[in-house]
PDB file of all heavy atoms in Angstrom:
ATOM      1  N   GLY V 115     -11.535 -11.713  -5.793  1.00 97.00           N
ATOM      2  CA  GLY V 115     -11.827 -10.758  -4.738  1.00 97.00           C
ATOM      3  C   GLY V 115     -11.156 -11.115  -3.422  1.00 97.00           C
ATOM      4  O   GLY V 115     -10.728 -10.174  -2.680  1.00 97.00           O
ATOM      5  N   ALA V 116     -11.179 -12.380  -3.090  1.00 98.00           N
ATOM      6  CA  ALA V 116     -10.533 -12.803  -1.826  1.00 98.00           C
ATOM      7  C   ALA V 116      -9.045 -12.581  -1.922  1.00 98.00           C
ATOM      8  O   ALA V 116      -8.456 -12.144  -0.914  1.00 98.00           O
ATOM      9  CB  ALA V 116     -10.845 -14.299  -1.626  1.00 98.00           C
ATOM     10  N   PHE V 117      -8.415 -12.743  -3.064  1.00 98.00           N
ATOM     11  CA  PHE V 117      -7.012 -12.457  -3.216  1.00 98.00           C
ATOM     12  C   PHE V 117      -6.722 -10.967  -3.012  1.00 98.00           C
ATOM     13  O   PHE V 117      -5.848 -10.567  -2.274  1.00 98.00           O
ATOM     14  CB  PHE V 117      -6.502 -12.968  -4.594  1.00 98.00           C
ATOM     15  CG  PHE V 117      -4.987 -12.787  -4.752  1.00 98.00           C
ATOM     16  CD1 PHE V 117      -4.210 -13.898  -4.545  1.00 98.00           C
ATOM     17  CD2 PHE V 117      -4.374 -11.620  -5.184  1.00 98.00           C
ATOM     18  CE1 PHE V 117      -2.786 -13.823  -4.598  1.00 98.00           C
ATOM     19  CE2 PHE V 117      -3.073 -11.456  -5.300  1.00 98.00           C
ATOM     20  CZ  PHE V 117      -2.235 -12.563  -5.009  1.00 98.00           C
ATOM     21  N   SER V 118      -7.507 -10.202  -3.735  1.00 97.00           N
ATOM     22  CA  SER V 118      -7.354  -8.748  -3.656  1.00 97.00           C
ATOM     23  C   SER V 118      -7.459  -8.191  -2.196  1.00 97.00           C
ATOM     24  O   SER V 118      -6.664  -7.394  -1.760  1.00 97.00           O
ATOM     25  CB  SER V 118      -8.394  -7.997  -4.578  1.00 97.00           C
ATOM     26  OG  SER V 118      -8.424  -6.648  -4.376  1.00 97.00           O
ATOM     27  N   GLU V 119      -8.430  -8.763  -1.480  1.00 97.00           N
ATOM     28  CA  GLU V 119      -8.733  -8.223  -0.159  1.00 97.00           C
ATOM     29  C   GLU V 119      -8.044  -9.010   0.980  1.00 97.00           C
ATOM     30  O   GLU V 119      -8.327  -8.831   2.110  1.00 97.00           O
ATOM     31  CB  GLU V 119     -10.232  -8.150   0.036  1.00 97.00           C
ATOM     32  CG  GLU V 119     -10.902  -7.268  -0.921  1.00 97.00           C
ATOM     33  CD  GLU V 119     -11.806  -6.186  -0.333  1.00 97.00           C
ATOM     34  OE1 GLU V 119     -12.215  -6.384   0.895  1.00 97.00           O
ATOM     35  OE2 GLU V 119     -12.208  -5.224  -0.984  1.00 97.00           O
ATOM     36  N   MET V 120      -7.209 -10.015   0.557  1.00 97.00           N
ATOM     37  CA  MET V 120      -6.426 -10.752   1.526  1.00 97.00           C
ATOM     38  C   MET V 120      -7.294 -11.580   2.480  1.00 97.00           C
ATOM     39  O   MET V 120      -7.268 -11.298   3.660  1.00 97.00           O
ATOM     40  CB  MET V 120      -5.424  -9.876   2.293  1.00 97.00           C
ATOM     41  CG  MET V 120      -4.304  -9.511   1.378  1.00 97.00           C
ATOM     42  SD  MET V 120      -2.984  -8.591   2.261  1.00 97.00           S
ATOM     43  CE  MET V 120      -3.601  -6.909   2.076  1.00 97.00           C
ATOM     44  N   VAL V 121      -8.082 -12.465   1.891  1.00 98.00           N
ATOM     45  CA  VAL V 121      -8.998 -13.349   2.700  1.00 98.00           C
ATOM     46  C   VAL V 121      -8.559 -14.780   2.374  1.00 98.00           C
ATOM     47  O   VAL V 121      -8.474 -15.224   1.254  1.00 98.00           O
ATOM     48  CB  VAL V 121     -10.465 -13.100   2.306  1.00 98.00           C
ATOM     49  CG1 VAL V 121     -11.355 -13.989   3.090  1.00 98.00           C
ATOM     50  CG2 VAL V 121     -10.837 -11.663   2.410  1.00 98.00           C
ATOM     51  N   PRO V 122      -8.345 -15.556   3.454  1.00 98.00           N
ATOM     52  CA  PRO V 122      -7.888 -16.980   3.263  1.00 98.00           C
ATOM     53  C   PRO V 122      -9.074 -17.836   2.852  1.00 98.00           C
ATOM     54  O   PRO V 122      -9.932 -18.196   3.627  1.00 98.00           O
ATOM     55  CB  PRO V 122      -7.423 -17.348   4.678  1.00 98.00           C
ATOM     56  CG  PRO V 122      -8.085 -16.495   5.610  1.00 98.00           C
ATOM     57  CD  PRO V 122      -8.321 -15.199   4.878  1.00 98.00           C
ATOM     58  N   VAL V 123      -9.037 -18.317   1.585  1.00 98.00           N
ATOM     59  CA  VAL V 123     -10.103 -19.213   1.014  1.00 98.00           C
ATOM     60  C   VAL V 123      -9.379 -20.299   0.313  1.00 98.00           C
ATOM     61  O   VAL V 123      -8.436 -20.154  -0.483  1.00 98.00           O
ATOM     62  CB  VAL V 123     -10.955 -18.446   0.056  1.00 98.00           C
ATOM     63  CG1 VAL V 123     -11.944 -19.384  -0.647  1.00 98.00           C
ATOM     64  CG2 VAL V 123     -11.794 -17.286   0.781  1.00 98.00           C
ATOM     65  N   LEU V 124      -9.848 -21.550   0.595  1.00 98.00           N
ATOM     66  CA  LEU V 124      -9.360 -22.724  -0.146  1.00 98.00           C
ATOM     67  C   LEU V 124     -10.281 -22.913  -1.351  1.00 98.00           C
ATOM     68  O   LEU V 124     -11.472 -23.139  -1.231  1.00 98.00           O
ATOM     69  CB  LEU V 124      -9.369 -23.983   0.743  1.00 98.00           C
ATOM     70  CG  LEU V 124      -9.073 -25.282   0.012  1.00 98.00           C
ATOM     71  CD1 LEU V 124      -7.641 -25.297  -0.565  1.00 98.00           C
ATOM     72  CD2 LEU V 124      -9.293 -26.448   0.915  1.00 98.00           C
ATOM     73  N   ASN V 125      -9.676 -22.822  -2.529  1.00 98.00           N
ATOM     74  CA  ASN V 125     -10.372 -22.974  -3.833  1.00 98.00           C
ATOM     75  C   ASN V 125     -10.169 -24.444  -4.216  1.00 98.00           C
ATOM     76  O   ASN V 125      -9.134 -24.823  -4.754  1.00 98.00           O
ATOM     77  CB  ASN V 125      -9.801 -22.033  -4.868  1.00 98.00           C
ATOM     78  CG  ASN V 125     -10.528 -22.187  -6.235  1.00 98.00           C
ATOM     79  OD1 ASN V 125     -11.554 -22.766  -6.293  1.00 98.00           O
ATOM     80  ND2 ASN V 125      -9.848 -21.642  -7.278  1.00 98.00           N
ATOM     81  N   LEU V 126     -11.088 -25.336  -3.826  1.00 98.00           N
ATOM     82  CA  LEU V 126     -10.989 -26.740  -3.950  1.00 98.00           C
ATOM     83  C   LEU V 126     -11.764 -27.242  -5.159  1.00 98.00           C
ATOM     84  O   LEU V 126     -12.957 -26.956  -5.267  1.00 98.00           O
ATOM     85  CB  LEU V 126     -11.470 -27.417  -2.634  1.00 98.00           C
ATOM     86  CG  LEU V 126     -11.504 -28.962  -2.612  1.00 98.00           C
ATOM     87  CD1 LEU V 126     -10.117 -29.479  -2.796  1.00 98.00           C
ATOM     88  CD2 LEU V 126     -12.080 -29.447  -1.302  1.00 98.00           C
ATOM     89  N   VAL V 127     -11.092 -27.958  -6.047  1.00 98.00           N
ATOM     90  CA  VAL V 127     -11.699 -28.381  -7.302  1.00 98.00           C
ATOM     91  C   VAL V 127     -11.567 -29.900  -7.538  1.00 98.00           C
ATOM     92  O   VAL V 127     -10.496 -30.446  -7.427  1.00 98.00           O
ATOM     93  CB  VAL V 127     -11.036 -27.683  -8.493  1.00 98.00           C
ATOM     94  CG1 VAL V 127     -11.690 -28.076  -9.799  1.00 98.00           C
ATOM     95  CG2 VAL V 127     -11.004 -26.118  -8.308  1.00 98.00           C
TER      96      VAL V 127
END
Side-chain angles (χ1 to χ4, degrees):
F117 186 94
S118 173
E119 302 231 343
M120 286 182 274
V121 181
V123 172
L124 173 62
N125 183 15
L126 177 60
V127 182

